[in-house]
Amino acid sequence: MGIQFNASARTFTLSTRSTTYQMGLDHLDRLLHLYYGPAIGQGDLAAMYPPADRGFSPNHNADRARRGISPDTLPQEYTGCNTGDFRLSCLVVRDEAGAAGAEWRYAGHSIQKGKYALTGLPSAHDEENEAESLCIRMEDGVTGLALELLYGVFAKQDIITRAVRLVNGGNQTLRLEKAASMCLDLPFGRWDMIHFHGRHTMERQAERVPLLNAIQTVSSTRGASSHHHNPFVILCDRKANEEHGLCYGVMPVYSGSHRTDVEVDQNGLTRIVSGIHDERFSWQLAPGEAFTVPEVILACTENGLTALSQQYHRFIRHNVCRGEHRFARRPVLINNWEATYFDFDSDAIVRIAEKAAALGVEMLVLDDGWFGKRNDDNSGLGDWFVNEKKLPGGLTPLIQRVNALGMKFGIWVEPEMVSEDSDLYRAHPDWALTLPGRAPVMSRNQMVLDMGRSEVVDYLTERLTDLLANNPIAYVKWDMNRNMTDVYSRVLPAERQGEAAHRYMLGVYRLLETLTTRFPHVLFEGCAGGGGRFDAGMLAYFTQIWCSDDTDAIERLVIQHGTSFGYPVSSIGAHVSACPNHQTGRTTPLWTRAVAAMSGTFGYELDLNKLSDEEASQVKEQIAFFDKHYQLIQNGLYYRLTDPTEESRYAAWQFVDEEQSEALFNLILTHPEANARPLHVWLRGLDPDALYRVESLDIHGCHCAPQAGLDLAMEGVGKVYSGSTLMHAGYTLPQLAGDYPSVQMYVKRV
Ligand code: GLA
């Protein structure tokens, strides 16, 4: 396992527990990609790509007598620029004469224990000491540009990370117009692509399509990874399903504008190129300067989509998330947003906290509206000073009252933004991104601060440090409620304006790095109008992210299903809210809302004082249930049992611990039927030879007819079944009826 360089074959082989990744140097010292897939050992695979002379596929000058060898047909590890490969490229670079060109030649490599680090960008870490790193250095002889290809090999996790550093070793200023994070060529196979599209309040809907003989693109130009196209793409064998088949994942560790293209070329080779979006992007590299591209997390498995997701879940929990909150028990919270919106004062907040504390909630989060003149969303952003009209005496007395109830206190901020009607904007209008001579495009009546400017980051560092150092704040919800337009920085020269959007992200990461280091005990939750920046870059700072502004339990089934392909339950912010639901107007049973929300970080977002006594006691039971199964839910293996795009009657999913000693099955009926067909379910992920007792079967919100099989299903409780029985013969549930009943079944190894 790990990294091997075979000096005679001139191949690099990266081996993880069950995958192999191989590259080889050719006769011109170019680096070809040879293989990524299920483990095959170290054999040299160069012979797999016999020369094929394709018309209009050109040859390197040195190969002009060997027409079969073309950069346009060979699998590449990282393309050059303008030198004979017409497929998707990784790089566009121009010299001072405007000539675009680069061609890579091997210049050396190094192998190290541990994980390479990236300056200024989030990247996976190796706190558990299992990684090895490879750096392959390539050079372009004409410009002097050097390419450092970085590989992090996490053998046990079956993950390979990639990143690139471009260093200008020449003597003229170079201009990068595109600099991708990686290229992955799959020379053979026919693939489907799964991507995660959406909109505000309906993020990350999984869509699976066969690849066309064309280029398909998943991208965002919004300055945020976006609600619309999540930076995560899966390619899988056409026959792959949840349990079987070859799958690859490509997940950029980046939160800004991104782009992943997938091309099927003339030979049937599939190329994926992923990185920063190149629209309006450019970067000046003076002699001696370096540019680092964001990291990408690659995973591969031959065991289907569930296994691929579980690889990402484990890796994000262990190697992307950082700090003490990674594995710590996170508090069940109550957030006042949907309870009060902007209309609150200290007493109203304390009344909500009192009721919540009595029911077992552990933290109160004060959402938007506590600062500046912020009585609606038209003003106040940027003025991070307490609004004493709402909170007399400031935050301290309020926090003391909340703490006295035995609860922690958390707070909402949206640091990257400024309202036109704010003292900050009046003092520093040039801090906002605006185009010269044009009125800025408005969104939620706010503008975006130029986070690429150090004085802006310094101001926010000071304000937020003041807030966190002077108040016992245990949690911060970090929001970002619009996308970026008018991208123009008042401090950059004309030739550097193409850097503004990426410099913004570097500024955000710097601010987050400072604050999370300075305040390691504070739990940070990310947010961007719900899940508009739900990505691996943010997860390096935020252990959890508010998944969606849509809190409707039934809509959440689709959103959380799509999110689960790449991201672990422990990262998915989910709350029980009031009914009729504020986004959809739908009414669902309180328990069903909890079943959906406890497949996330779990909290409440309503005025619990408005619940009946019966409902209040349900809340108590829900928190106790979540508490009992906390480890299983947050750190267990996640199994999707249904696909909401195919199964229209119900949604089901399951948690199994790594030792296969316990499992929690969850189901929500989405469409009741007249004269219903039996509801028969099959569990997954159990040890087939082990025996499991059905410890509990809870059916909530069901108006079951007497003949619906309820007694029969309940008779199973206390009975012992083999894992294989539960997985292959399955379990029959009663014929559920009514609006959105739910089921939770817990089995434990005997
Ligand atoms: C965003 C968040 C919400 C809430 C509001 C406050 O929309 O996603 O949860 O915090 O902002 O303005």
Side-chain angles (χ1 to χ4, degrees):
M1 292 221 270
I3 300 166
Q4 275 91 25
F5 175 62
N6 179 332
S8 57
R10 305 210 310 156
T11 55
F12 297 92
T13 306
L14 318 181
S15 310
T16 70
R17 193 162 44 94
S18 42
T19 67
T20 301
Y21 187 111
Q22 199 183 86
M23 299 157 269
L25 296 165
D26 76 357
H27 61 292
L28 294 179
D29 274 349
R30 296 174 299 197
L31 188 64
L32 303 182
H33 177 79
L34 299 181
Y35 179 80
Y36 183 35
I40 53 165
Q42 287 186 54
D44 171 11
L45 298 174
M48 271 173 62
Y49 310 107
D53 185 12
R54 297 267 179 252
F56 294 87
S57 286
N59 315 105
H60 187 276
N61 195 279
D63 278 337
R64 59 191 184 277
R66 307 162 74 180
R67 290 206 188 168
I69 302 177
S70 169
D72 193 37
T73 56
L74 288 168
Q76 308 284 336
E77 191 57 21
Y78 193 90
T79 75
C81 167
N82 202 12
T83 47
D85 185 346
F86 293 111
R87 298 166 296 183
L88 291 169
S89 76
C90 296
L91 184 78
V92 177
V93 58
R94 283 183 202 280
D95 65 14
E96 286 173 0
E103 196 174 50
W104 304 121
R105 290 280 178 280
Y106 173 71
H109 73 270
S110 59
I111 297 173
Q112 280 173 0
K113 275 242 145 284
K115 167 77 196 328
Y116 62 81
L118 301 180
T119 324
L121 284 165
S123 62
H125 61 78
D126 180 33
E127 279 176 27
E128 291 161 25
N129 289 325
E130 60 146 328
E132 273 184 62
S133 297
L134 167 66
C135 172
I136 304 177
R137 196 178 152 88
M138 310 290 292
E139 275 171 11
D140 174 51
V142 176
T143 56
L145 186 63
L147 167 74
E148 291 172 9
L149 292 164
L150 303 169
Y151 300 81
V153 180
F154 293 79
K156 204 172 71 198
Q157 304 271 44
D158 261 335
I159 293 281
I160 293 174
T161 62
R162 288 186 60 176
V164 163
R165 249 166 58 91
L166 288 152
V167 186
N168 185 354
N171 49 21
Q172 52 174 320
T173 296
L174 300 175
R175 181 182 172 87
L176 303 174
E177 292 174 2
K178 177 176 185 180
S181 296
M182 63 132 226
C183 165
L184 176 65
D185 281 353
L186 301 174
F188 306 109
R190 281 160 59 78
W191 310 101
D192 282 352
M193 176 171 91
I194 305 176
H195 68 117
F196 304 91
H197 69 101
R199 58 183 187 273
H200 178 225
T201 68
M202 191 35 94
E203 298 88 336
R204 290 173 299 285
Q205 297 170 73
E207 182 174 57
R208 179 170 177 165
V209 286
L211 285 185
L212 303 173
N213 290 293
I215 296 172
Q216 25 264 294
T217 301
V218 172
S219 73
S220 162
T221 54
R222 293 171 173 269
S225 50
S226 88
H227 304 83
H228 304 75
H229 297 286
N230 193 257
F232 180 44
V233 170
I234 295 173
L235 291 193
C236 61
D237 185 274
R238 294 255 164 109
K239 295 199 205 84
N241 59 24
E242 288 287 359
E243 294 177 60
H244 306 285
L246 187 53
C247 309
Y248 296 90
V250 176
M251 182 183 280
V253 186
Y254 193 57
S255 316
S257 297
H258 60 88
R259 171 170 184 164
T260 298
D261 294 292
V262 187
E263 175 176 11
V264 180
D265 83 354
Q266 59 180 335
N267 289 322
L269 174 147
T270 298
R271 169 170 293 178
I272 315 167
V273 171
S274 179
I276 296 177
H277 205 299
D278 54 339
E279 186 165 310
R280 298 191 301 268
F281 167 84
S282 66
W283 199 275
Q284 295 276 116
L285 267 191
E289 281 182 354
F291 180 71
T292 305
V293 306
E295 181 166 276
V296 173
I297 303 170
L298 297 179
C300 167
T301 176
E302 56 180 334
N303 298 321
L305 294 162
T306 300
L308 188 82
S309 296
Q310 291 176 353
Q311 273 166 251
Y312 276 105
H313 295 173
R314 207 181 284 117
F315 193 71
I316 286 174
R317 282 201 310 257
H318 288 256
N319 300 86
V320 176
C321 292
R322 296 185 282 180
E324 63 186 61
H325 301 288
R326 253 187 328 160
F327 302 118
R329 163 100 169 59
R330 316 231 194 101
V332 175
L333 63 84
I334 175 102
N335 178 306
N336 74 304
W337 178 241
E338 287 197 16
T340 65
Y341 295 103
F342 291 102
D343 185 16
F344 62 83
D345 59 17
S346 300
D347 290 342
I349 296 298
V350 171
R351 276 195 300 277
I352 291 173
E354 279 167 350
K355 182 70 178 185
L359 300 180
V361 176
E362 296 151 311
M363 179 164 74
L364 176 114
V365 175
L366 180 60
D367 211 279
D368 194 355
W370 59 269
F371 53 90
K373 279 192 236 107
R374 181 87 169 157
N375 296 318
D376 56 35
D377 57 13
N378 288 306
S379 58
L381 290 174
D383 298 340
W384 301 107
F385 301 93
V386 184
N387 179 332
E388 297 218 16
K389 279 201 186 123
K390 287 185 185 176
L391 309 178
L395 281 172
T396 310
L398 172 63
I399 300 179
Q400 281 167 349
R401 288 168 76 189
V402 171
N403 288 163
L405 298 167
M407 290 177 109
K408 294 179 175 172
F409 182 87
I411 202 156
W412 178 97
V413 291
E414 194 182 351
E416 300 158 60
M417 299 291 153
V418 66
S419 304
E420 193 173 20
D421 181 6
S422 68
D423 293 340
L424 184 68
Y425 186 70
R426 281 182 282 273
H428 299 286
D430 61 314
W431 282 12
L433 293 174
T434 54
L435 284 169
R438 291 176 201 277
V441 176
M442 286 299 194
S443 183
R444 216 190 188 202
N445 222 346
Q446 63 195 55
M447 285 172 276
V448 183
L449 289 172
D450 182 358
M451 297 293 290
R453 286 176 72 159
S454 55
E455 59 272 49
V456 174
V457 173
D458 293 346
Y459 168 78
L460 292 171
T461 307
E462 188 236 290
R463 291 299 339 124
L464 293 163
T465 298
D466 182 70
L467 178 71
L468 296 178
N470 296 318
N471 297 288
I473 290 174
Y475 159 109
V476 169
K477 176 177 172 188
W478 185 292
D479 215 334
M480 191 240 190
N481 275 319
R482 67 159 288 179
N483 290 141
M484 220 185 272
T485 59
D486 304 272
V487 182
Y488 179 85
S489 173
R490 301 281 160 171
V491 291
L492 291 176
E495 65 279 11
R496 285 195 177 271
Q497 286 298 333
E499 301 177 13
H502 183 58
R503 286 186 182 276
Y504 175 97
M505 276 326 306
L506 295 177
V508 172
Y509 290 142
R510 180 160 78 82
L511 177 57
L512 288 172
E513 185 74 39
T514 306
L515 294 171
T516 51
T517 310
R518 223 172 251 182
F519 301 101
H521 305 316
V522 175
L523 169 64
F524 282 81
E525 174 158 343
C527 180
R533 210 164 53 176
F534 203 122
D535 56 69
M538 282 297 150
L539 286 167
Y541 307 98
F542 304 144
T543 354
Q544 55 195 60
I545 298 177
W546 180 228
C547 181
S548 177
D549 273 348
D550 187 348
T551 59
D552 176 288
I554 304 308
E555 299 246 290
R556 273 297 184 113
L557 296 175
V558 178
I559 299 169
Q560 292 175 196
H561 171 87
T563 307
S564 80
F565 279 86
Y567 307 99
V569 160
S570 59
S571 69
I572 298 177
H575 299 165
V576 173
S577 62
C579 274
N581 177 269
H582 292 193
Q583 292 80 41
T584 62
R586 188 189 339 242
T587 297
T588 49
L590 183 60
W591 250 107
T592 293
R593 281 174 262 161
V595 170
M598 69 174 71
S599 289
T601 57
F602 199 40
Y604 291 81
E605 189 164 333
L606 72 170
D607 187 348
L608 293 168
N609 291 300
K610 295 190 176 147
L611 298 185
S612 67
D613 289 348
E614 158 60 20
E615 287 173 322
S617 66
Q618 284 184 23
V619 169
K620 253 188 174 163
E621 288 165 24
Q622 291 161 4
I623 294 173
F625 186 92
F626 178 67
D627 207 35
K628 179 168 171 216
H629 299 295
Y630 183 87
Q631 285 306 334
L632 173 58
I633 293 173
Q634 300 296 310
N635 296 319
L637 299 171
Y638 185 85
Y639 287 86
R640 291 176 290 269
L641 302 182
T642 53
D643 174 352
T645 59
E646 280 176 4
E647 171 58 70
S648 57
R649 282 170 74 201
Y650 63 90
W653 65 100
Q654 189 195 326
F655 303 99
V656 183
D657 69 333
E658 299 250 2
E659 292 74 39
Q660 297 174 300
S661 67
E662 53 172 352
L664 179 65
F665 166 88
N666 306 271
L667 178 145
I668 293 179
L669 191 77
T670 48
H671 289 90
E673 286 182 322
N675 194 13
R677 290 162 289 164
L679 196 49
H680 192 80
V681 295
W682 292 266
L683 270 54
R684 292 183 60 198
L686 303 177
D687 176 349
D689 301 324
L691 294 174
Y692 295 87
R693 176 175 291 114
V694 179
E695 298 276 331
S696 62
L697 175 64
D698 297 301
I699 297 174
H700 304 292
C702 177
H703 304 281
C704 293
Q707 70 279 19
L710 186 58
D711 294 351
L712 213 61
M714 294 314 282
E715 268 175 30
V717 179
K719 287 214 171 114
V720 172
Y721 301 93
S722 67
S724 53
T725 304
L726 290 168
M727 291 193 292
H728 302 307
Y731 198 93
T732 302
L733 296 170
Q735 293 168 25
L736 303 177
D739 281 337
Y740 315 109
S742 55
V743 177
Q744 286 182 307
M745 180 165 78
Y746 174 64
V747 304
K748 194 168 181 186
R749 193 198 278 255
V750 290

